[in-house]
Amino acid sequence: YAVNQPRGRGVGAVTRFAGYGTPLVNGLVADNRKLSRPLTQGQPTSINKEDSLEMSKPMIGLPLCRWQLTDRDIGWFHLVGEKYIQSVTGYGAFPLMIPAFADDLDMDTVLDSVSGIMFGGSLSNVHPSFYGDDHPGLGLADKPRDATVLRLMRACIERGIPFLGICRGVQELNVLYGGTLHREVHEVEGRLDHRERKGVPDDVAYGPMHKVALTEGGVLHQLLGEREISVNSLHGQGIDRLGGLFFLQQTERVGASE
């Protein structure tokens, strides 16, 4: 592809060169999307704005975790749960994987490419050092993800790019705004045990766990029309002190910020 496109998310002039081996049948190209006119083998063909829009899907960014899966120096992997990928593709969008490169992440390239970002959950925990606590942390840590996501969230807010936080993503947003976390919610007096139940089917483990009260007039209340709903809940850490500028949308009946 030869692309002539100004910086940003607009559609520019795109020229495709159909080379040898490119399947061309009645105007269908390799990705099986229909163009307004057929491509000719070996000849450059301009794809107009209408064709470009038809061929594109919204791009949703998925920040990756960085884990060492073998004991070798090259045994590091950037990965994300398949359920988050499926939640993007299931609604007609395409996932853009965002590596946990921290300060080395090319932020402009990422944000110029996406319509939004989903900050999903993980088996790892936000490290206490990111909310000013000298505790060594519990369970699996992932400081590269912490550093990447906090920087990425801040850039999204500055540029007005929408994003959704789920599980760890909510905790990261709270930390970004100066909030803190309970490392073990089940150890806090009066709080429920939110940890995943082992040895049960997925529909049970991910089924409704408890009720939450929605903030009257908040986004979720307006979308659902209900003040109280049942939700699933699988996490060990949880919000302790709520960060500034963080608008609470739902709480547990017993008072925990969800």
Side-chain angles (χ1 to χ4, degrees), residues 6-17:
R7 194 171 188 80
R9 284 180 276 176
V11 177
V14 182
T15 299
R16 169 159 183 154
F17 294 86

Side-chain angles (χ1 to χ4, degrees), residues 34-245:
K34 189 75 166 68
L35 299 180
S36 58
R37 60 200 175 286
L39 297 176
T40 302
Q41 183 73 27
Q43 297 297 318
T45 304
S46 177
I47 300 176
N48 60 31
K49 181 177 180 179
E50 179 182 350
D51 289 328
S52 299
L53 289 174
E54 183 182 349
M55 293 174 66
S56 65
K57 290 183 177 182
M59 195 85 75
I60 303 299
L62 290 179
L64 304 179
C65 298
R66 182 176 183 266
W67 295 351
Q68 188 174 20
L69 301 185
T70 76
D71 58 2
R72 296 182 180 275
D73 291 340
I74 59 172
W76 291 91
F77 289 75
H78 293 249
L79 67 169
V80 66
E82 187 177 81
K83 59 189 173 185
Y84 297 112
I85 297 174
Q86 291 176 338
S87 68
V88 171
T89 59
Y91 284 90
F94 190 85
L96 174 67
M97 306 304 172
I98 304 174
F101 283 169
D103 290 341
D104 292 330
L105 181 67
D106 187 340
M107 196 66 68
D108 286 338
T109 296
V110 172
L111 298 187
D112 286 348
S113 303
V114 299
S115 298
I117 294 181
M118 178 190 293
F119 296 94
S122 173
L123 297 178
S124 66
N125 294 317
V126 178
H127 195 272
S129 61
F130 286 90
Y131 49 91
D133 194 322
D134 59 4
H135 192 280
L138 298 174
L140 181 65
D142 189 347
K143 287 186 176 181
R145 166 166 170 155
D146 295 336
T148 303
V149 164
L150 294 176
R151 180 172 170 243
L152 188 56
M153 282 184 168
R154 189 176 295 109
C156 285
I157 293 168
E158 291 173 352
R159 288 186 46 167
I161 294 178
F163 63 85
L164 174 67
I166 301 172
C167 195
R168 193 189 207 274
V170 174
Q171 298 167 17
E172 291 162 337
L173 183 60
N174 188 55
V175 169
L176 176 67
Y177 277 117
T180 61
L181 303 176
H182 288 302
R183 282 178 288 277
E184 294 182 293
V185 175
H186 58 281
E187 296 289 345
V188 180
E189 185 177 357
R191 298 292 172 85
L192 301 176
D193 188 343
H194 295 256
R195 292 174 297 176
E196 179 180 346
R197 288 184 286 176
K198 304 295 184 181
V200 299
D202 287 353
D203 60 344
V204 175
Y206 286 84
M209 299 290 288
H210 61 75
K211 293 186 180 296
V212 294
L214 304 185
T215 302
E216 186 171 5
V219 175
L220 294 178
H221 179 218
Q222 294 180 45
L223 286 173
L224 301 176
E226 303 285 345
R227 285 296 314 281
E228 186 177 84
I229 61 173
S230 295
V231 299
N232 69 340
S233 189
L234 293 87
H235 55 97
Q237 294 198 320
I239 293 175
D240 180 8
R241 185 183 72 243
L242 200 62
L245 298 180

